[in-house]
Each structure stands twice: as structure tokens, then as C-alpha cells.
Amino acid sequence: MHLIWENLMKNLTLLWTGEFKGVDEGDGCYELSAAIWEGIGKATAASGDTIPSCYGCRVPNVSTDRSYMSAEMWSFWILYIGPVLLRNRFRHARYYKHFVELVYLLTICLQFQISASEIEQVRTGFIKWVTDYESLYYQRDPTRVNVCPVTVHALLHIAGSIKAMGPVWCYWAFPMERYCGTLSPAIRSWRNPWRSMDRFVLETAQLTQIKVVYDMHVGLALGRKARVHDSVRGSVHIPGYTSCILLPPRSKVRPDLLLIQKLLSAALVTRFNVSIQVIHAHIGEVFIEEYGCLHRTDTSEGDTMYANSMYKRAEDHRDPTFVRYTMQVDLNARRRGATIRLVDREFYGQLQHIMHLHLPSHVRTAFKTELKDLIMVAVRNAPVKQVSGMEPLDIHVAQRMEGALDVVDAISVQCLIGRVVDGRECAFIDCSGSLVRCMPS
């Protein structure tokens, strides 16, 4: 925690802004102009509006409010925001490539599980990274030795520590520091502070044991209780959909006719494997109502995704309408008469509509299904493109935000995603991968 977020990253930003111990860039060209760094800071602060709150706290302006940056904020910035906003900012691409290599090694270190081969990859990767650091910043010049603090050398020991003690989340300082934060309010007597803390620790341990022995975690929860979406008034469980539930608001107004006749009907053809004529003949008899939220119940994160058509934006809102979803794509779609080859592909876009379909008995007979209810969603696809330099990272840049409107089953919606806007481009970031359980929460 302190090695990377509180030391190495801060030193790199000081080098990039020309504020590191009075050292200039020498023969290199890694310093960013004041205007560029100010733009990066503003874009960082603005990303708080486009990154959902479940991803963590807002990251402030790294240019003007750097003193407010905590270790958690630095970790999020270096893993997700920095790779987007630093692209094409350096005068030479080798500095950005060097930074991306660091981010990639950190993503391996932060995994919940790590294999022996990945540990070896971390070991060789940090050896190369430190060697390149000496070439780029130290420049083999003894007069610049102060740009090589001990924290850079310490990177060479990370792989050995992981091999000896396990992944870094097992022993980093986040839990310890947060536990210390819970002790501060326990001090009731400034004359005898140690007795107050001792009593608090003892009573907390006793309550924890009672919760475990008698299964009273909910009844003895003294802190703020987590919101249970199942108990929200108006929430709906649909049979067959064990991974999600519908949440209000709800609208009984039938969706747009074009959406139903063209896009929804085409999706139902694929869903039930019947002809479009059969769908058109009975789609008018299907009762359709729209919901505003779709909540995932099969993950500990519990993403709550909002439909853009019914989402009311507050002044300090953090956009929860963009999602990652999967669809089957025919690899031979452009080859006339070729055999259909369906494969699953991931897509990104903005959730527009969440539709609950009630199928009457005669409609179920026509559609050849026993399903009484169906949840279909409409997502405005945002096509992504390959970006040079960001290949090792799970970050995707959108070509444009107004793509086709895809209608898929709600089961296909995987998770809530965030966005980092950089000029005319928009990068999608996803915290649902291997790092999700290792990020401090």
C-alpha cells in the first residue's frame, strides 16, 4: 500500500511535473507542461460524474488537490484513470509504455489468486521495469542519483514477498489503518485513553463471537445496515431469473411502438426460435411494463443498473446507466449460405430500457415456451476500438457513443461499468474482473 500508492506513484507525478527535489529532466523528455497536467487534473475530477459510486469515492483534481489524495484514490487513479488520461500526453511514447507496464504488473500483484508462473512474471517484469526506470529517469548519471529512492529498489522484492506470504491483499495496510480508524471514536476519556480502547476492543470481540456462535449477524449489527434490495417496496422477483431482480420506478406505459415491432420482435425470434410472422401476430397481446432498475443478486458487489429512459439525474449524480453485456455473434454472418457459427462476444453500452413481458397462455403456446415472464433490456451499443499502447490493460475505448440499439435478455447484462472521458474519446473501465475482491472497500 505505502510502497506503491503513497511513495512510487507520488514520486512519478513529481517527476512528470518537474517538482521532484529540484531535478530537471536532463537528457530525457518526460516532463509534462503545466497546461497538460492541469487538463489531466480537470478530467480526473470530471470522471467522478461518469464512474458509478460502487467503484469507490470520487478522485479529486490531481493537479490542484493532490494533498487530498488518499492511498485508495491513488490506487484507483493509477489502475484505471491514469492509463486513459496519460495516453498521447508525453512527448515520447516510451514513457507512457513504461507506465502501462507498471500498471499491468500491479494488476497481477493485486489478483485474489496468483499462480507460480505469474509470480515469476512479476519478478522478471519488475527487473525490466526498474532497469528501464534507471535508463529513462536516472539516465546513468551519478548526479541524478536522488531520482532512485529505496522505494524503486523495493519493487524487486515484491515477487519474493508474494511467494513467501501470498497475494499482497493478505497483508497490506488497508485493513489495519481502517481498524485504527474505528478505534479513534472509542476514546471516551482523555485521561485514560488506553482503558477506553481496551474496553472497546474487548466488547467488540465479545459481540463478534456471539454473532458467530448464535448466527445473529443481522440482529446485533450496530453499524449502518446494508440495504437489502429484496425488501425494497416494489421490487419484483421473476421466476427463472435467479441472478437479478427488478426495482422501481415502474411505468405501465407501453414502450415505443418502433422498439417493440422491430427490435424486440427480432430479439424474441432468436429467443424462442419461431418465425417473425408468429411474433408480429401475438406481440400486441403481450403485456409490457418498464422498470427503472435492474439489480444483480449473484455477486457480492450487487451492481444496481439504471435505465437511462427513467433515470433522474441529480446535481451530484454518478452515472449508473452504462453496462457490459454479452451477445452471440455469427462468425459467418457476411458469408452467404455458410453454416452459422455462434460465439459469445462482450459489448459495452448505455442501458436504455428494462422491459418486463407477461406472456398469456395462448401466446406461450404460439411461442412454444412455458415461460410466463421475460425480462428484456435495450442497450445502446458503443462500439470499441483497439488502442495502441493499452493492449495489456482491460480498458476499452469507444469509437462513438451512438451505436445500434441491441435488445437482449436481462441475463446477458453482466455488470455496471464506468467511463473516463478524454476529449472526444470515452474509455470504459471495468472493476468486475480479478481485482474486484482485492480493491479496498
Side-chain angles (χ1 to χ4, degrees):
M1 169 182 163
H2 292 93
L3 173 63
I4 304 295
W5 319 130
E6 295 286 2
N7 287 281
L8 179 65
M9 195 57 228
K10 289 184 177 180
N11 289 340
L12 283 176
T13 56
L14 291 174
L15 285 168
W16 296 336
T17 55
E19 303 172 5
F20 187 82
K21 301 179 181 179
V23 179
D24 59 21
E25 60 181 356
D27 297 332
C29 51
Y30 56 79
E31 288 187 5
L32 302 173
S33 67
I36 290 178
W37 187 245
E38 182 181 347
I40 292 174
K42 290 180 179 179
T44 298
S47 67
D49 295 337
T50 55
I51 298 176
S53 58
C54 63
Y55 276 48
C57 58
R58 287 176 179 264
V59 181
N61 188 319
V62 293
S63 175
T64 59
D65 301 324
R66 201 183 310 171
S67 59
Y68 297 105
M69 294 281 286
S70 63
E72 181 181 349
M73 293 175 182
W74 275 119
S75 69
F76 191 85
W77 191 90
I78 188 175
L79 292 173
Y80 297 105
I81 300 177
V84 178
L85 299 182
L86 287 174
R87 186 168 65 93
N88 298 328
R89 296 299 193 274
F90 292 101
R91 284 170 285 167
H92 199 288
R94 61 176 177 265
Y95 296 100
Y96 178 73
K97 180 181 178 182
H98 186 244
F99 172 71
V100 170
E101 289 174 353
L102 172 65
V103 177
Y104 177 64
L105 291 172
L106 293 177
T107 58
I108 299 176
C109 295
L110 294 175
Q111 291 177 165
F112 192 72
Q113 295 179 334
I114 186 168
S115 64
S117 60
E118 288 173 328
I119 295 176
E120 179 62 20
Q121 185 179 359
V122 169
R123 187 187 69 84
T124 57
F126 272 123
I127 291 175
K128 179 181 180 301
W129 194 88
V130 171
T131 302
D132 292 340
Y133 176 90
E134 293 175 350
S135 175
L136 295 173
Y137 298 99
Y138 172 53
Q139 301 170 9
R140 314 297 180 184
D141 184 356
T143 62
R144 299 174 56 84
V145 70
N146 53 352
V147 304
C148 294
V150 68
T151 51
V152 175
H153 171 79
L155 298 176
L156 302 175
H157 298 278
I158 290 180
S161 300
I162 295 176
K163 188 174 183 179
M165 298 183 289
V168 295
W169 62 265
C170 297
Y171 44 87
W172 63 7
F174 280 113
M176 180 271 293
E177 292 203 353
R178 295 197 175 187
Y179 180 70
C180 291
T182 64
L183 294 180
S184 299
I187 301 176
R188 302 294 182 180
S189 170
W190 292 106
R191 184 177 181 181
N192 299 299
W194 307 116
R195 290 184 180 180
S196 298
M197 286 193 293
D198 290 345
R199 181 175 180 178
F200 175 80
V201 171
L202 175 62
E203 292 177 348
T204 302
Q206 291 172 339
L207 282 174
T208 301
Q209 291 301 312
I210 294 173
K211 292 177 184 178
V212 173
V213 173
Y214 297 101
D215 192 19
M216 298 183 65
H217 296 277
V218 176
L220 292 179
L222 302 181
R224 185 178 63 181
K225 294 185 179 180
R227 185 183 183 188
V228 181
H229 288 86
D230 296 15
S231 62
V232 174
R233 184 178 182 181
S235 62
V236 178
H237 279 273
I238 305 300
Y241 289 86
T242 58
S243 63
C244 60
I245 60 175
L246 296 173
L247 297 176
R250 181 184 66 169
S251 172
K252 292 185 179 181
V253 178
R254 195 172 177 85
D256 182 70
L257 183 61
L258 179 62
L259 172 64
I260 296 175
Q261 291 291 344
K262 187 175 180 180
L263 300 175
L264 179 58
S265 297
L268 294 179
V269 168
T270 305
R271 182 70 171 80
F272 297 119
N273 195 24
V274 296
S275 67
I276 190 66
Q277 291 78 14
V278 173
I279 299 296
H280 281 163
H282 296 87
I283 191 65
E285 301 168 359
V286 177
F287 178 67
I288 305 175
E289 54 184 355
E290 281 200 68
Y291 278 80
C293 300
L294 182 71
H295 177 72
R296 290 297 299 255
T297 59
D298 60 341
T299 64
S300 58
E301 295 74 49
D303 288 346
T304 302
M305 296 154 279
Y306 288 75
N308 185 55
S309 61
M310 300 180 66
Y311 179 60
K312 296 181 180 179
R313 287 169 170 77
E315 184 178 354
D316 59 345
H317 85 286
R318 302 184 65 182
D319 196 347
T321 63
F322 281 80
V323 298
R324 173 168 59 87
Y325 62 103
T326 59
M327 286 199 312
Q328 286 192 325
V329 177
D330 182 10
L331 297 180
N332 295 329
R334 297 186 178 182
R335 297 176 58 188
R336 188 174 182 180
T339 304
I340 297 178
R341 293 179 55 197
L342 297 176
V343 295
D344 290 333
R345 291 285 173 83
E346 291 186 345
F347 296 88
Y348 300 85
Q350 188 176 41
L351 185 60
Q352 298 289 337
H353 303 276
I354 303 171
M355 295 170 285
H356 179 199
L357 282 63
H358 302 266
L359 306 179
S361 58
H362 65 282
V363 174
R364 297 199 299 271
T365 302
F367 289 177
K368 301 177 183 179
T369 180
E370 297 180 357
L371 294 175
K372 295 182 180 180
D373 299 271
L374 199 64
I375 306 176
M376 303 295 289
V377 299
V379 185
R380 178 69 66 184
N381 177 256
V384 297
K385 63 181 180 180
Q386 293 290 335
V387 176
S388 176
M390 297 176 64
E391 292 86 353
L393 309 180
D394 188 21
I395 298 176
H396 308 272
V397 178
Q399 296 173 327
R400 62 185 189 279
M401 300 306 295
E402 293 295 327
L405 193 63
D406 296 327
V407 177
V408 297
D409 195 286
I411 297 177
S412 300
V413 180
Q414 301 298 312
C415 65
L416 196 63
I417 61 171
R419 295 176 296 136
V420 179
V421 180
D422 182 20
R424 296 182 178 180
E425 294 183 332
C426 177
F428 295 122
I429 59 175
D430 185 357
C431 282
S432 64
S434 58
L435 300 182
V436 66
R437 287 184 293 181
C438 302
M439 294 297 292
S441 60

